[in-house]
Coordinates of all heavy atoms in Angstrom, one line a residue:
W397 N 34.9 255.9 -22.0 CA 35.5 257.0 -22.8 C 36.3 256.5 -24.0 O 36.4 257.2 -25.0 CB 36.4 257.8 -21.9 CG 35.6 258.6 -20.8 CD1 35.7 258.4 -19.5 CD2 34.8 259.7 -21.0 NE1 34.9 259.3 -18.8 CE2 34.4 260.2 -19.7 CE3 34.3 260.4 -22.1 CZ2 33.4 261.2 -19.6 CZ3 33.4 261.4 -22.0 CH2 33.0 261.8 -20.8
F398 N 36.8 255.3 -23.8 CA 37.6 254.7 -24.9 C 36.7 254.1 -25.9 O 36.7 254.4 -27.2 CB 38.6 253.7 -24.5 CG 39.2 252.9 -25.5 CD1 40.3 253.4 -26.3 CD2 38.8 251.6 -25.9 CE1 40.8 252.7 -27.3 CE2 39.4 250.9 -26.9 CZ 40.4 251.4 -27.6
W399 N 35.7 253.3 -25.5 CA 34.9 252.6 -26.5 C 33.9 253.4 -27.3 O 33.6 253.1 -28.3 CB 34.0 251.6 -25.6 CG 34.8 250.5 -24.8 CD1 34.9 250.5 -23.5 CD2 35.7 249.6 -25.4 NE1 35.8 249.5 -23.2 CE2 36.3 248.9 -24.3 CE3 36.1 249.1 -26.7 CZ2 37.2 247.8 -24.5 CZ3 37.0 248.2 -26.9 CH2 37.5 247.5 -25.7
R400 N 33.5 254.6 -26.8 CA 32.7 255.4 -27.4 C 33.4 256.0 -28.7 O 32.7 256.5 -29.6 CB 32.1 256.6 -26.6 CG 33.2 257.5 -26.0 CD 32.8 258.7 -25.2 NE 32.3 259.7 -26.1 CZ 31.5 260.7 -25.7 NH1 31.1 260.8 -24.5 NH2 31.1 261.7 -26.6
D401 N 34.7 256.0 -28.8 CA 35.4 256.5 -29.9 C 36.0 255.5 -30.9 O 36.8 255.8 -31.7 CB 36.6 257.4 -29.4 CG 36.1 258.8 -28.9 OD1 35.1 259.2 -29.4 OD2 36.9 259.4 -28.3
T402 N 35.6 254.3 -30.8 CA 36.2 253.3 -31.6 C 35.4 252.9 -32.8 O 36.2 252.5 -33.8 CB 36.4 251.9 -30.7 OG1 35.1 251.6 -30.2 CG2 37.3 252.1 -29.6
A403 N 34.2 253.1 -32.9 CA 33.4 252.6 -34.1 C 32.3 253.6 -34.5 O 32.3 253.8 -35.7 CB 32.9 251.2 -33.8
I404 N 31.5 253.9 -33.7 CA 30.2 254.7 -34.0 C 30.1 255.9 -33.2 O 30.3 255.9 -32.0 CB 29.0 253.8 -33.9 CG1 29.2 252.4 -34.6 CG2 27.8 254.4 -34.3 CD1 28.2 251.4 -34.2
C405 N 29.8 257.0 -33.9 CA 29.5 258.2 -33.1 C 28.3 258.1 -32.3 O 27.3 257.5 -32.7 CB 29.3 259.4 -34.2 SG 29.0 261.0 -33.3
L406 N 28.3 258.7 -31.0 CA 27.2 258.5 -30.1 C 25.8 259.2 -30.5 O 24.8 258.9 -29.9 CB 27.6 259.0 -28.8 CG 28.6 258.2 -27.9 CD1 28.9 258.8 -26.6 CD2 28.3 256.7 -27.8
D407 N 25.9 260.1 -31.5 CA 24.7 260.9 -31.8 C 23.5 260.2 -32.1 O 22.4 260.5 -31.6 CB 25.1 261.9 -32.9 CG 26.1 263.0 -32.5 OD1 26.3 263.1 -31.3 OD2 26.6 263.6 -33.4
E408 N 23.6 259.0 -32.9 CA 22.4 258.4 -33.3 C 21.8 257.7 -32.1 O 20.5 257.7 -32.0 CB 22.7 257.3 -34.3 CG 23.6 256.2 -33.9 CD 23.2 254.9 -34.6 OE1 22.2 255.0 -35.5 OE2 23.8 253.8 -34.2
F409 N 22.5 257.1 -31.1 CA 22.0 256.4 -30.0 C 21.2 257.4 -29.1 O 20.3 256.9 -28.4 CB 23.1 255.7 -29.2 CG 22.5 254.7 -28.3 CD1 22.0 253.5 -28.5 CD2 22.4 255.1 -26.9 CE1 21.5 252.7 -27.7 CE2 21.9 254.2 -26.0 CZ 21.4 253.0 -26.3
D410 N 21.6 258.6 -29.2 CA 20.8 259.6 -28.3 C 19.3 259.7 -28.7 O 18.6 260.1 -27.8 CB 21.4 261.0 -28.6 CG 22.8 261.2 -28.0 OD1 23.1 260.4 -27.1 OD2 23.5 262.1 -28.3
L411 N 19.0 259.2 -29.8 CA 17.5 259.2 -30.2 C 16.7 258.2 -29.5 O 15.5 258.3 -29.4 CB 17.3 259.0 -31.7 CG 18.0 260.1 -32.5 CD1 18.0 259.7 -34.0 CD2 17.4 261.4 -32.4
V412 N 17.3 257.2 -28.8 CA 16.7 256.2 -28.0 C 17.2 255.9 -26.7 O 16.6 255.2 -25.9 CB 16.7 254.7 -28.9 CG1 16.1 254.9 -30.2 CG2 18.2 254.3 -29.0
N413 N 18.3 256.7 -26.3 CA 19.0 256.5 -25.0 C 18.1 256.6 -23.9 O 17.5 257.7 -23.5 CB 20.0 257.5 -24.9 CG 21.0 257.2 -23.8 OD1 20.8 256.6 -22.9 ND2 22.2 257.6 -24.0
P414 N 17.8 255.6 -23.1 CA 16.8 255.5 -22.0 C 17.3 256.4 -20.8 O 16.6 256.6 -19.8 CB 16.7 254.0 -21.6 CG 18.0 253.5 -21.9 CD 18.5 254.2 -23.2
T415 N 18.6 256.7 -20.7 CA 19.1 257.6 -19.6 C 18.5 259.0 -19.8 O 18.7 259.8 -18.9 CB 20.7 257.6 -19.5 OG1 21.1 258.2 -20.8 CG2 21.2 256.3 -19.3
Y416 N 18.0 259.4 -20.9 CA 17.4 260.6 -21.0 C 15.8 260.5 -20.8 O 15.3 259.4 -21.1 CB 17.5 261.2 -22.5 CG 19.0 261.6 -22.8 CD1 19.5 260.9 -24.0 CD2 19.7 262.3 -22.0 CE1 20.8 261.1 -24.3 CE2 21.1 262.6 -22.4 CZ 21.6 262.0 -23.5 OH 22.9 262.2 -23.8
S417 N 15.2 261.4 -20.4 CA 13.8 261.4 -20.0 C 13.0 261.4 -21.4 O 13.4 261.7 -22.4 CB 13.3 262.6 -19.2 OG 13.3 263.8 -20.1
K418 N 11.6 260.9 -21.2 CA 10.8 260.7 -22.4 C 10.6 262.1 -22.9 O 10.5 262.3 -24.2 CB 9.5 260.1 -22.0 CG 8.5 259.9 -23.2 CD 7.3 259.2 -22.7 CE 6.4 258.9 -23.9 NZ 6.0 260.0 -24.7
A419 N 10.5 263.2 -22.1 CA 10.3 264.6 -22.6 C 11.5 265.0 -23.5 O 11.3 265.6 -24.5 CB 10.1 265.5 -21.5
V420 N 12.8 264.7 -23.0 CA 14.0 265.0 -23.8 C 13.9 264.4 -25.1 O 14.1 265.0 -26.2 CB 15.2 264.7 -23.0 CG1 16.4 264.8 -24.0 CG2 15.4 265.7 -21.8
L421 N 13.7 263.1 -25.2 CA 13.7 262.3 -26.4 C 12.4 262.7 -27.3 O 12.7 262.8 -28.5 CB 13.5 260.8 -26.1 CG 14.7 260.2 -25.4 CD1 14.4 258.7 -25.1 CD2 16.0 260.3 -26.1
D422 N 11.3 263.0 -26.8 CA 10.2 263.4 -27.6 C 10.5 264.8 -28.3 O 10.3 265.0 -29.4 CB 8.9 263.6 -26.7 CG 8.3 262.2 -26.4 OD1 8.7 261.3 -26.9 OD2 7.4 262.3 -25.5
N423 N 11.2 265.7 -27.5 CA 11.5 267.0 -28.2 C 12.4 267.0 -29.2 O 12.4 267.6 -30.2 CB 11.8 268.0 -27.0 CG 10.8 268.3 -26.0 OD1 9.6 268.2 -26.2 ND2 11.2 268.9 -24.8
I424 N 13.5 266.1 -29.0 CA 14.6 266.1 -29.9 C 14.0 265.3 -31.2 O 14.3 265.6 -32.4 CB 15.8 265.3 -29.4 CG1 16.6 266.3 -28.5 CG2 16.6 264.7 -30.6 CD1 17.3 267.4 -29.3
N425 N 13.3 264.1 -31.0 CA 12.8 263.4 -32.1 C 11.8 264.2 -32.9 O 11.7 263.9 -34.1 CB 12.3 262.1 -31.6 CG 13.3 261.1 -31.3 OD1 14.2 260.8 -32.1 ND2 13.2 260.4 -30.1
A426 N 11.1 265.2 -32.4 CA 10.1 265.9 -33.0 C 10.8 266.8 -34.1 O 10.4 266.8 -35.3 CB 9.4 266.8 -32.1
V427 N 12.0 267.4 -33.8 CA 12.7 268.2 -34.8 C 13.5 267.3 -35.7 O 13.6 267.7 -36.9 CB 13.6 269.2 -34.1 CG1 12.8 270.3 -33.3 CG2 14.7 268.6 -33.2
Y428 N 14.0 266.2 -35.3 CA 14.6 265.2 -36.0 C 13.7 264.7 -37.2 O 14.0 264.7 -38.4 CB 15.1 264.1 -35.2 CG 15.8 262.9 -36.0 CD1 17.2 263.0 -36.3 CD2 15.1 261.8 -36.4 CE1 17.9 262.0 -37.0 CE2 15.8 260.7 -37.1 CZ 17.1 260.9 -37.3 OH 17.8 259.8 -38.0
D429 N 12.5 264.3 -36.8 CA 11.5 263.8 -37.9 C 11.1 265.0 -38.7 O 11.0 264.7 -39.9 CB 10.3 263.3 -37.0 CG 10.6 261.9 -36.3 OD1 11.7 261.3 -36.7 OD2 9.9 261.6 -35.3
F430 N 10.8 266.2 -38.2 CA 10.5 267.3 -39.0 C 11.5 267.5 -40.2 O 11.2 267.7 -41.4 CB 10.3 268.6 -38.3 CG 10.0 269.7 -39.1 CD1 8.7 270.0 -39.7 CD2 11.0 270.5 -39.6 CE1 8.5 271.1 -40.5 CE2 10.8 271.6 -40.5 CZ 9.6 271.9 -40.9
R431 N 12.8 267.4 -39.8 CA 13.8 267.8 -40.7 C 13.8 266.8 -41.9 O 13.8 267.1 -43.1 CB 15.2 267.7 -40.0 CG 16.5 267.9 -40.8 CD 17.6 268.0 -39.9 NE 17.8 267.0 -39.1 CZ 18.1 267.0 -37.8 NH1 18.0 268.2 -37.2 NH2 18.2 265.9 -37.1
Y432 N 13.6 265.4 -41.6 CA 13.6 264.5 -42.6 C 12.3 264.5 -43.4 O 12.3 264.3 -44.6 CB 13.8 263.1 -42.0 CG 15.2 262.7 -41.9 CD1 15.9 263.0 -40.7 CD2 15.9 262.2 -42.9 CE1 17.2 262.8 -40.5 CE2 17.2 261.9 -42.8 CZ 17.9 262.1 -41.5 OH 19.2 261.9 -41.4
Q433 N 11.1 264.8 -42.7 CA 9.9 264.9 -43.5 C 10.0 266.1 -44.6 O 9.5 266.0 -45.6 CB 8.7 265.2 -42.5 CG 8.4 263.9 -41.7 CD 7.6 264.2 -40.5 OE1 7.1 265.4 -40.3 NE2 7.3 263.3 -39.7
S434 N 10.6 267.2 -44.1 CA 10.7 268.3 -45.0 C 11.6 268.0 -46.2 O 11.4 268.3 -47.4 CB 11.2 269.5 -44.3 OG 11.4 270.6 -45.1
A435 N 12.7 267.3 -45.8 CA 13.8 266.8 -46.9 C 13.0 265.9 -47.9 O 13.3 266.0 -49.1 CB 14.9 266.2 -46.2
E436 N 12.3 265.0 -47.5 CA 11.6 264.0 -48.3 C 10.6 264.7 -49.2 O 10.4 264.3 -50.4 CB 11.0 262.9 -47.5 CG 12.1 262.0 -46.8 CD 11.6 261.0 -45.8 OE1 10.3 261.0 -45.5 OE2 12.3 260.4 -45.2
K437 N 9.9 265.7 -48.7 CA 8.9 266.4 -49.4 C 9.4 267.5 -50.3 O 9.0 267.6 -51.5 CB 7.9 267.1 -48.5 CG 6.7 267.8 -49.2 CD 5.8 268.4 -48.1 CE 4.7 269.2 -48.8 NZ 3.8 269.8 -47.8
N438 N 10.5 268.2 -49.9 CA 10.9 269.4 -50.6 C 12.3 269.3 -51.2 O 12.8 270.2 -51.8 CB 10.8 270.6 -49.7 CG 9.5 270.8 -49.1 OD1 8.5 271.1 -49.7 ND2 9.4 270.7 -47.7
G439 N 13.0 268.2 -50.8 CA 14.4 268.1 -51.2 C 15.4 268.6 -50.3 O 15.0 269.2 -49.3

Side-chain angles (χ1 to χ4, degrees):
W397 291 113
F398 172 78
W399 301 113
R400 61 176 280 166
D401 279 344
T402 53
I404 304 165
C405 182
L406 289 183
D407 290 345
E408 69 144 2
F409 190 78
D410 285 346
L411 299 172
V412 298
N413 194 330
T415 61
Y416 298 124
S417 70
K418 185 177 185 299
V420 166
L421 294 178
D422 286 348
N423 290 345
I424 282 294
N425 282 311
V427 296
Y428 177 86
D429 291 340
F430 173 84
R431 182 170 54 229
Y432 275 92
Q433 289 163 4
S434 179
E436 289 166 3
K437 179 180 179 181
N438 305 297

